[in-house]
Amino acid sequence: MDTNQPMQTPATDPTRGLTAAEVANSRATHGSNVLTPPAKEPLWRKFLEKFTDPLIVILLIAGLLSIGIAVYEKFGLHEGNEVFFEPVGIFVAIFLATGLSFYFEMKAEEEFALLNQVNDDEPVQVMRDGHATQIARRDVVVGDIVFLGTGNEVPADGTLLQAVSLGIDESTLTGEPICHKSTDEKDFDPDATFPTNYALRGTKVMEGHGVMCVCAVGDATENGRVFTAAQIDDTVKTPLNEQLEKLARVISAFSYGVAALIIIGRLAGWFDWQLAGWLPALPTACFFALVIKQFPRWSRSRCVAAMAAFALVFLATLLGVHQLTGGHDLNAMLAHTLQTLMIAVTLIVVSVPEGLPMAVTLALALSMRRMLKTNNLVRKMHACETMGATTVICTDKTGTLTQNQMSVHETFLTPPAACDAVPGMQGDAVIAEGIAVNSTATLDLTQARPSVLGNPTEGALLLWMHGQGLDFESLRAQATKLEELPFSTERKYMATVVQSTACPGQRVLYVKGAPEIVYGLCSGSTDAALTQDALNSRLLACQAKAMRTLGFAFQILKPGDATISEGRVVAERLQFIGFAAIADPVRTEVPAAIKQCISAGIRIKIVTGDTPGTAKEIGRQIGLWNDCDTDDHITTGPEFAALSDEELERRILDIKIIARARPLDKKRLVETLQRLGQVVAVTGDGTNDAPALKAAHVGLSMGDGTSVAKEASDITIVDNSFSSIERAVMWGRSLYRNIQRFILFQMTVNVVACLIVLFGAFFGTQSPLTVTQMLWVNLIMDTFAAMALASLPPSQRVMLDAPRPRTAFIISRPMRWTIVGMGLFFTALLLALLIVFERYDITSLTCLFHLNTCCTAQPGLTPYELSLFFTLFVMLQFWNLFNSRAFGTGRSAFHFKDCGGFVGIATLVVVGQVLIVTFGGRMFSVTPLSLTDWCIAISGTSLVLWVFEAFHFMHRLLHR
């Protein structure tokens, strides 16, 4: 809105208002005074969106392939119904992961709805048909004459027709807590964000009163335009989503690549490695190359067409090879090919970490619930983790960095001395009475914490009196007000004449205003040493600290003394009492939180509607602005808007403060930072913040902010404190570490399973792990592991690290080495065990200590041997869970402080394994083990933990 352009005001008679017919016509032309709510997405669509997660997509493909194999095995090979366990298990994993995510987000939405209720039925006083009346806010129309009083919320945008000492809090739109309004052109401020004679919807009258003619309602108001901008879908992918998509591509490439090797190797071997036998490898290699490179980018129809084309080309190639070699039975060849394809699909299914989506969901959901206890109401699950990736926090000043309540910081008051001419006069009482009666503000004392009604600067004086144990209400009631001169921006002071109780039987004139102006009206001072230069020096020191100052003067009136004339104080014997320095104090916990964020490598930027001087001083108090900072580190809204995109990109990382910011400046700031690869979190409580909150990776609204701001945000900071934001960053970073630990654990399991299947495919050995056993490992055990790792408490140590690079893969270099090393170690151990089981008849693990006395085994594995192998596989992963928990902490795996949940869940894994092996029977292809074998299995596999501990102990010694 151009502040230099006059507002177009409807030609409504202020004394008559609108008629009923004019109201109906205006509503039909300009609409109603309600902000159009964002279209609510149907629940079914919100649920279906959960299936777009990259890992869920892989599981869906694996599930469909598994269904195909199960149908063939059931109706082609006439096997039992247990062939459907695998596809059922996969789809159970899918629906658990998506269902949990959907449920927790819906619960957060319900809590948010209670926090964000909006009432459009608040009464508004208007002039209609020549009579003052009250109507609901939603019924205000363009052309209405609206009466504004102290405490009222402005119901619509309009031009002021009258303004008497009118001050409006525009912080919801500009961040400016008090803006003086006037209809006199001499008082117009050309630098104001909005015109001086204009009132805006959603702002609040803090003092004085006025009358306005409505010019815009609903979506056409400035508030409505910002609200509409906040609905534009500027959402960007979160860092976690990007990482999971990349992980999905890696898993796909690995599993499809190994599957292609199995198909090529087994078919070439079937044809005795003849040249013609390699021909099926050509379409296979081409198809899987396309799968790895193009499937993530292709539409579903193109993917289906590619698979159909591959099937036809592959079948034709097989038939051609059969004709060339001529020595193989066609049915046997097709059966072998189908078996090969089934092994390949099984490997793809085994390689997919079915528990990972569940793990991420559980980790996010648990963090979501626990963060609420630290005053962070999370609405969007991924926002939990994204806070940990944040590199820049753009924060407003009022209410987040400061307390949003003006208070007296320091007083320079000298009480007047007792005077024989005025018996009973008390100097302190004169000061108290002057503050109490010469004020338009009041306090709401009905709550535990008093709040100001009216001008916040005057309210600060009343709060100061309340803190001193003085009752301003009784002082007002006892003193009879005789004459009053309201404050004006032109005079910069106000005055009141009362029949005093502080000076019994006397009339007293009290003056309050800008100290230098009030001092100029005085003939002397109660502090004889206070000169004009001394006063100016003190005032400059306070102003340098971004404080507001109010000066006080009084005069005991004699009969005939002049007081107020033609809107001016004309008294000749005023005595200057002193002044008070008033500020919106910084929250006590903010400097430490800012220091913690800066040390964690996070840039902080203040975006405020306040003056550059005030913003700079607040920056200094919180530790953001240093003596070495220059004008390059601060800018104003108009200067910011004048920068081209290229200039802004060059300067943006150095700018610490944007003062006099306008509503959409913060949104442009966010978008520019995002173009530079920064992960941006934005705080805001006003309607003006909504577009930036929506555009940011994480939008952080304040608990007492506007409904528009909260609707646009991802997290609501219930206590409004920046320290809660710092805790959210710590939670996010710790959560990411926990997800990494689970991936480390899960991928090690899957690497081992894939290598065992691959080994069996090439060497023709029986697969030692059944489908139901793998489902136990991948679903139930991994879910317990996810809960165990997600239950780990956040660590303050993560705040010592710099933010992770946006492009850094979620599987770090140390994780890759650990996955490969552990995977190969476990595989070698299990394959050695498998060879022993194949060659010898093992009836107990004690047989391993004297193999020379064991009988030679019959072909295949006995049920007891399969049970032993399954148990040893699970227990190796169990002990590896402890290694994963300690990964990246620099601590021992036996450090269990505040980890009671982890120990409890780990115990459940062991109990579950015992129950499955003991009672699983045919479903899990197991038989009960002896107590001796359980003891050997649990203690023997713990070697994994001891080796890990020894390795890290040596590592810590070498790096001390």
Side-chain angles (χ1 to χ4, degrees):
M1 182 184 297
D2 187 349
T3 60
N4 297 317
Q5 293 294 322
M7 299 299 107
Q8 187 172 359
T9 307
T12 305
D13 182 354
T15 62
R16 182 180 61 85
L18 297 177
T19 64
E22 288 171 333
V23 169
N25 182 60
S26 178
R27 185 172 289 119
T29 304
H30 303 286
S32 61
N33 191 33
V34 176
L35 298 181
T36 304
K40 291 291 183 183
E41 200 172 15
L43 290 179
W44 63 268
R45 183 172 292 175
K46 286 185 176 181
F47 181 65
L48 288 182
E49 282 179 357
K50 302 301 172 189
F51 290 86
T52 61
D53 184 282
L55 291 171
I56 294 293
V57 171
I58 291 183
L59 279 179
L60 285 170
I61 295 172
L64 293 174
L65 292 172
S66 183
I67 287 175
I69 291 175
V71 169
Y72 172 77
E73 289 176 335
K74 169 68 176 174
F75 299 104
L77 303 179
H78 306 291
E79 296 187 15
N81 291 329
E82 63 271 9
V83 296
F84 290 102
F85 284 157
E86 180 175 354
V88 168
I90 291 173
F91 281 100
V92 166
I94 291 171
F95 283 105
L96 279 175
T98 54
L100 277 175
S101 176
F102 178 75
Y103 170 76
F104 281 111
E105 285 197 1
M106 288 303 99
K107 289 290 290 181
E109 284 294 332
E110 289 176 10
E111 293 170 1
F112 174 76
L114 293 174
L115 186 69
N116 200 32
Q117 290 177 336
V118 182
N119 186 6
D120 282 317
D121 295 317
E122 286 288 333
V124 177
Q125 188 174 359
V126 299
M127 179 69 73
R128 293 260 180 101
D129 289 316
H131 300 285
T133 185
Q134 282 192 339
I135 61 173
R137 181 166 59 188
R138 67 173 67 249
D139 294 329
V140 172
V141 297
V142 172
D144 260 328
I145 303 299
V146 177
F147 298 98
L148 302 174
T150 300
N152 291 159
E153 184 175 302
V154 181
D157 288 4
T159 302
L160 291 168
L161 305 178
Q162 294 179 23
V164 179
S165 302
L166 186 62
I168 294 182
D169 178 1
E170 289 186 350
S171 61
T172 59
L173 281 171
T174 67
E176 187 66 32
I178 189 74
C179 296
H180 293 285
K181 298 294 181 178
S182 175
T183 57
D184 189 341
E185 291 188 8
K186 293 184 296 183
D187 296 332
F188 286 7
D189 181 1
D191 297 323
T193 308
F194 296 103
T196 306
N197 67 330
Y198 205 65
L200 298 133
R201 175 190 169 104
T203 59
K204 189 174 182 180
V205 178
M206 302 304 293
E207 60 183 349
H209 56 86
V211 178
M212 79 170 189
C213 181
V214 175
C215 301
V217 295
D219 294 338
T221 61
E222 186 67 23
N223 188 301
R225 281 195 286 270
V226 175
F227 182 72
T228 301
Q231 306 314 312
I232 298 172
D233 190 9
D234 286 326
T235 52
V236 292
K237 285 183 179 179
T238 66
L240 182 60
N241 270 337
E242 292 175 346
Q243 293 301 317
L244 292 179
E245 285 182 2
K246 188 174 180 181
L247 178 61
R249 289 195 296 271
V250 169
I251 292 171
S252 299
F254 173 78
S255 59
Y256 294 147
V258 176
L261 287 176
I262 289 175
I263 293 173
I264 293 168
R266 281 178 60 88
L267 289 180
W270 174 259
F271 291 107
D272 300 322
W273 304 97
Q274 297 177 38
L275 179 61
W278 288 94
L279 291 177
L282 297 177
T284 303
C286 292
F287 173 71
F288 280 105
L290 281 173
V291 166
I292 294 168
K293 289 290 185 182
Q294 299 299 333
F295 263 37
R297 303 177 182 86
W298 280 358
S299 64
R300 292 184 181 87
S301 59
R302 182 175 287 188
C303 291
V304 171
M307 286 188 284
F310 164 71
L312 291 174
V313 173
F314 186 77
L315 184 59
T317 307
L318 274 180
L319 293 174
V321 171
H322 178 261
Q323 293 298 321
L324 287 173
T325 56
H328 295 280
D329 179 74
L330 181 61
N331 290 333
M333 183 189 71
L334 290 176
H336 179 78
T337 302
L338 184 58
Q339 185 185 29
T340 298
L341 291 174
M342 288 169 58
I343 292 173
V345 171
T346 301
L347 185 136
I348 292 173
V349 172
V350 167
S351 67
V352 174
E354 288 93 341
L356 185 52
M358 172 78 76
V360 173
T361 299
L362 281 172
L364 292 172
L366 286 172
S367 296
M368 190 175 177
R369 306 303 296 174
R370 291 162 71 185
M371 284 175 71
L372 182 57
K373 297 178 182 179
T374 62
N375 297 307
N376 291 279
L377 172 58
V378 181
R379 298 180 59 212
K380 304 290 176 61
M381 269 195 178
H382 282 285
C384 298
E385 184 281 329
T386 307
M387 277 305 297
T390 298
T391 58
V392 180
I393 297 176
C394 302
T395 178
D396 58 353
K397 175 184 71 69
T398 306
T400 306
L401 303 178
T402 64
Q403 297 177 14
N404 196 22
Q405 186 170 71
M406 303 295 286
S407 63
V408 175
H409 181 267
E410 194 173 3
T411 58
F412 301 88
L413 301 173
T414 303
C419 177
D420 293 337
V422 185
M425 186 184 86
Q426 299 176 4
D428 291 334
V430 169
I431 294 175
E433 183 180 71
I435 293 174
V437 300
N438 195 26
S439 174
T440 59
T442 188
L443 298 181
D444 179 359
L445 301 174
T446 60
Q447 306 297 323
R449 181 185 179 188
S451 59
V452 174
L453 302 177
N455 186 291
T457 307
E458 292 190 343
L461 295 170
L462 299 183
L463 286 171
W464 176 72
M465 287 184 63
H466 183 73
Q468 301 286 322
L470 299 171
D471 186 354
F472 75 94
E473 291 178 325
S474 63
L475 291 174
R476 281 183 181 175
Q478 293 165 11
T480 303
K481 191 175 291 187
L482 304 175
E483 196 174 359
E484 184 177 10
L485 178 66
F487 179 88
S488 77
T489 54
E490 182 184 4
R491 285 190 303 269
K492 299 188 184 303
Y493 63 80
M494 64 184 297
T496 302
V497 178
V498 298
Q499 189 68 43
S500 175
T501 55
C503 301
Q506 303 293 321
R507 291 183 307 124
V508 179
L509 167 65
Y510 292 107
V511 180
K512 177 184 69 187
E516 65 277 12
I517 302 295
V518 174
Y519 188 88
L521 297 173
C522 297
S523 61
S525 172
T526 54
D527 179 2
L530 184 65
T531 63
Q532 182 76 59
D533 290 341
L535 175 64
N536 290 340
S537 177
R538 290 181 182 178
L539 292 177
L540 285 173
C542 292
Q543 289 163 6
K545 296 179 181 178
M547 296 182 186
R548 300 179 184 183
T549 52
L550 283 176
F552 308 95
F554 89 112
Q555 177 180 327
I556 299 174
L557 298 174
K558 296 178 179 179
D561 279 354
T563 55
I564 300 169
S565 177
E566 297 181 353
R568 300 280 175 182
V569 170
V570 293
E572 297 177 348
R573 294 182 292 103
L574 277 170
Q575 294 291 301
F576 187 74
I577 300 173
F579 71 93
I582 299 168
D584 182 6
V586 167
R587 288 176 175 267
T588 54
E589 71 277 8
V590 166
I594 292 288
K595 181 180 180 181
Q596 187 75 67
C597 286
I598 292 174
S599 66
I602 300 172
R603 288 184 169 93
I604 308 295
K605 299 184 184 298
I606 299 175
V607 186
T608 178
D610 243 326
T611 64
T614 299
K616 193 184 296 184
E617 173 57 24
I618 293 299
R620 185 193 63 78
Q621 291 181 24
I622 65 174
L624 178 64
W625 189 266
N626 305 310
D627 294 337
C628 59
D629 288 320
T630 66
D631 290 342
D632 290 337
H633 297 99
I634 186 171
T635 188
T636 63
E639 293 169 350
F640 182 82
L643 292 173
S644 66
D645 288 344
E646 293 75 16
E647 291 172 326
L648 184 56
E649 287 180 7
R650 284 197 302 270
R651 287 193 57 192
I652 194 67
L653 294 178
D654 294 327
I655 294 175
K656 291 185 175 182
I657 297 172
I658 302 178
R660 290 298 188 197
R662 291 176 285 194
L664 294 180
D665 288 341
K666 193 183 284 188
K667 182 171 184 284
R668 187 187 179 205
L669 170 67
V670 170
E671 292 170 342
T672 303
L673 288 167
Q674 287 174 340
R675 285 199 303 272
L676 296 178
Q678 302 295 315
V679 179
V680 186
V682 169
T683 74
D685 59 355
T687 301
N688 60 313
D689 298 316
L693 290 169
K694 186 78 172 180
H697 291 100
V698 183
L700 301 153
S701 62
M702 300 297 114
D704 60 1
T706 66
S707 59
V708 177
K710 286 185 280 190
E711 186 68 45
S713 66
D714 302 298
I715 298 176
T716 296
I717 308 299
V718 179
D719 65 350
N720 301 341
S721 175
F722 194 91
S723 63
S724 294
I725 299 170
E726 180 260 331
R727 287 195 296 271
V729 173
M730 180 185 69
W731 270 98
R733 292 188 176 188
S734 299
L735 173 60
Y736 185 77
R737 292 286 181 87
N738 288 344
I739 292 174
Q740 281 186 310
R741 291 179 184 118
F742 180 78
I743 290 173
L744 176 69
F745 169 78
Q746 172 85 79
M747 294 307 294
T748 304
V749 174
N750 286 77
V751 165
V752 175
C754 283
L755 291 176
I756 289 174
V757 171
L758 184 61
F759 178 86
F762 278 104
F763 292 95
T765 59
Q766 177 185 352
S767 176
L769 296 173
T770 66
V771 170
T772 49
Q773 289 172 356
M774 282 307 301
L775 284 174
W776 155 249
V777 173
N778 275 354
L779 293 181
I780 311 304
M781 181 180 171
D782 286 354
T783 299
F784 280 135
M787 293 171 63
L789 293 172
S791 69
L792 296 177
S795 170
Q796 193 70 38
R797 288 166 55 108
V798 297
M799 297 301 287
L800 302 176
D801 302 329
R804 69 177 188 272
R806 180 74 182 271
T807 56
F809 189 30
I810 195 167
I811 299 180
S812 62
R813 182 186 295 270
M815 288 175 66
R816 287 197 292 271
W817 281 109
T818 304
I819 290 169
V820 172
M822 282 292 186
L824 291 176
F825 173 67
F826 287 174
T827 302
L829 197 63
L830 291 169
L831 286 179
L833 195 66
L834 188 59
I835 292 170
V836 171
F837 285 175
E838 287 277 0
R839 292 187 177 182
Y840 299 97
D841 185 15
I842 302 298
T843 58
S844 170
L845 287 177
T846 55
C847 295
L848 297 176
F849 302 114
H850 45 82
L851 288 175
N852 56 334
T853 62
C854 293
C855 300
T856 303
Q858 299 296 320
L861 301 178
T862 66
Y864 197 85
E865 288 172 337
L866 286 171
S867 299
L868 285 173
F869 188 91
F870 174 47
T871 299
L872 291 169
F873 178 84
V874 169
M875 294 314 300
L876 283 172
Q877 309 310 327
F878 169 77
W879 292 114
N880 193 41
L881 177 62
F882 287 81
N883 293 341
S884 300
R885 185 193 74 85
F887 184 81
T889 64
R891 290 176 171 173
S892 166
F894 296 105
H895 178 82
F896 294 125
K897 183 180 180 182
D898 299 324
C899 297
F902 176 87
V903 175
I905 295 171
T907 304
L908 284 177
V909 171
V910 177
V911 172
Q913 180 66 18
V914 172
L915 292 175
I916 282 177
V917 173
T918 306
F919 304 106
R922 287 186 59 191
M923 182 176 179
F924 285 92
S925 304
V926 291
T927 57
L929 301 181
S930 67
L931 180 61
T932 301
D933 283 344
W934 275 114
C935 293
I936 294 174
I938 293 174
S939 59
T941 52
S942 68
L943 178 67
V944 173
L945 179 59
W946 299 111
V947 169
F948 182 88
E949 278 293 290
F951 174 79
H952 282 277
F953 177 75
M954 294 300 297
H955 184 269
R956 288 193 294 270
L957 285 180
L958 293 174
H959 289 82
R960 277 185 176 177

